[in-house]
Amino acid sequence: MSGCHVTAKVAIAALRNLKELRRLELPFCSEFGDEGAKGLPSVCPYLELVDLYSCRTLTNEGLLSMASSLPYLKCLNAKRCHKLASFQVCDVLEHKALLHLQLPNFAGLNSCAVMLKLENAGFTHEGSGRLFRCGCPIRTSDTTDESIAPHPTSGLYLRCPVCIISRPGL
């Protein structure tokens, strides 16, 4: 589902029979929000990838509740979810299975406190809100694909091995 205007209740009802679902992409579903995020683990407990790009009603509470209840979650995209607050949302980094995280590029994402939290959780900030767990087998290439931002120092294009993302903003 992309760009949908369905409510969280409708989305959760539609996912109820998909218990084995591993990837869920809901970019631009602005009505999904906290209610949807909190309901996801009960209907799709095996999710490894959740893309909530530009779900503008999602807050820290919904994101943290969802992430803490999805034990297999490896990739999470919350880019352009403007109601998230930088320091508090970094609590999602405590999720042990999480390898790749996309957050809004907060002004405070490069603050000393947030950088220390990232380091303590074993993550590196690769720029533009892209976070990778240290030791995550990141695929790189020297492609000129303009939809993927290159690493700020190496110039290589980073790709998460789980989500193999090649769309802009992810």
Side-chain angles (χ1 to χ4, degrees):
M1 291 189 267
S2 178
C4 60
H5 294 287
V6 298
T7 64
K9 286 182 183 180
V10 171
I12 295 300
L15 295 167
R16 208 166 286 292
N17 293 325
L18 301 173
K19 289 254 186 234
E20 301 297 319
L21 191 67
R22 300 282 194 252
R23 299 172 62 102
L24 180 63
E25 298 180 36
L26 297 169
F28 302 103
C29 291
S30 59
E31 302 302 316
F32 191 71
D34 287 351
E35 185 181 355
K38 290 177 181 180
L40 264 183
S42 65
V43 295
C44 299
Y46 301 107
L47 286 171
E48 294 178 1
L49 178 143
V50 176
D51 178 357
L52 299 174
Y53 181 84
S54 201
C55 290
R56 295 185 177 155
T57 57
L58 183 67
T59 69
N60 291 351
E61 181 184 345
L63 184 78
L64 295 172
S65 173
M66 178 196 69
S68 67
S69 300
L70 289 172
Y72 304 102
L73 185 64
K74 294 178 184 172
C75 298
L76 175 59
N77 184 4
K79 189 92 171 155
R80 293 191 66 200
C81 295
H82 299 297
K83 288 194 173 187
L84 299 177
S86 63
F87 193 73
Q88 295 84 5
V89 81
C90 285
D91 288 344
V92 77
L93 299 172
E94 296 172 11
H95 192 295
K96 298 302 179 197
L98 196 62
L99 299 175
H100 176 223
L101 176 64
Q102 275 285 115
L103 291 175
N105 199 16
F106 304 112
L109 197 55
N110 292 318
S111 72
C112 290
V114 171
M115 294 305 273
L116 183 60
K117 201 165 194 170
L118 291 173
E119 185 177 322
N120 288 340
F123 277 84
T124 60
H125 181 211
E126 301 297 333
S128 299
R130 291 183 64 158
L131 307 172
F132 288 95
R133 185 172 300 278
C134 297
C136 171
I138 300 169
R139 292 179 48 197
T140 59
S141 69
D142 58 2
T143 182
T144 56
D145 183 347
E146 294 178 11
S147 68
I148 304 171
H151 184 275
T153 54
S154 72
L156 294 174
Y157 295 83
L158 304 177
R159 298 174 191 249
C160 174
V162 177
C163 49
I164 318 272
I165 291 173
S166 61
R167 294 196 320 260
L170 297 178

